[in-house]
Amino acid sequence: EPRFLLDNDGNIGGNLLFGHRAYHQESDRLWGGYLSFDNRRTDESDFYQLGLGFETLGDRVDFRVNGYLPIGDTRQLVERETVDSGLQVSSGFEGNLLLFSQRRERLNRVVREAALGGFDAEVGVKLADWSGGAGALWSYAALYYLGAEGTDDSLGWRAGLDARPLDNLNLGVSVQGDEIFGENVVFSVGLTFPRRRPKGPVPEDREVVARLGEGVRRSLSIVVDTQDDTEIVLEETIEPLRNPEEED
C-alpha cells in the first residue's frame, strides 16, 4: 500500500506498507498485521521511521494497535543564535574598598526539530450501515503515546466519527488532546480509487470478507515537534582595586 503525501507548505513525504490479512470464518473476523517505511520532509529537515501494526476487523467492532519508531537522525538542528550583551565594566565603594566589576551576559538559542515515536491503540464501533455495507457510520476512541529526546513524553486521547456515505468516499471528524500539541479538532475528506469492495450489495454473511481491501488505519505522517531552547549564561567577576605599591 504505497502513499504519496504533500503538506500545506509543499513538502513531500510518503509511506510504503506491506501487510497481510486473513479471514477467520468461525469468528467472522479479519486478522492482519503490517510493516511500513515512512518519510516526511519539513522546510528544514528530513525524517524516517518504521511502522508496525496489528488489527482485527469485524462486522460491528474493530481493534488496532500501531507502533511508530523513528530511525536515522531523529533530532535535527534548525537554527543556532547567540546574542552577547558585551562586556560591562563598573566600579564602586563597599566600605573602605573600591570594587571593580566586569559583567557579560550571553543568550544562546537553539531550535531543533525532532521526530516523535510512540504508539496508539484504537477501538471502533459501527453505529449504522446501509446499501449492503457499502455505506457505514463508525465511532472511534483511542489512546496514544508520544515521546522523543528533548520533548517530555505525553499520553493523549482521541475520539471521533468516520462516515462513508459512498464506498469510495470518507468523511471524518475527531477531537484529540495531549500535553505536547494541546487540544485539536481535525476534519478529513478521503477519496479511494479503485473501489475497496465488490460492486453492488454484499450479502450480510459476506460483509466482513468484503472489507479485505480497506486501507490500514494509522497515522500516515511522522509526528514532528519543534524544540526551541533558550539558555542565559552570565559571567561576572568582582574584585577590589589595590594600590600596586601595596601588593606583595
Side-chain angles (χ1 to χ4, degrees), residues 3 90 159 238:
R3 290 179 184 267
S90 64
I238 301 175

Side-chain angles (χ1 to χ4, degrees), residues 153-174:
D153 297 353
S154 177
L155 185 65
W157 57 272
R158 180 174 61 247
L161 294 174
D162 187 3
R164 190 174 69 235
L166 302 173
D167 178 55
N168 57 355
L169 173 64
N170 275 83
L171 305 175
V173 58
S174 65

Side-chain angles (χ1 to χ4, degrees), residues 141-153:
L143 291 176
Y144 62 89
Y145 166 84
L146 296 172
E149 179 186 356
T151 297
D152 292 336
D153 297 353

Side-chain angles (χ1 to χ4, degrees), residues 97-110:
L97 291 177
L98 177 62
L99 300 180
F100 177 77
S101 66
Q102 298 182 91
R103 179 187 176 97
R104 181 188 294 271
E105 186 176 293
R106 290 198 305 270
L107 186 147
N108 298 323
R109 178 171 177 260
V110 178

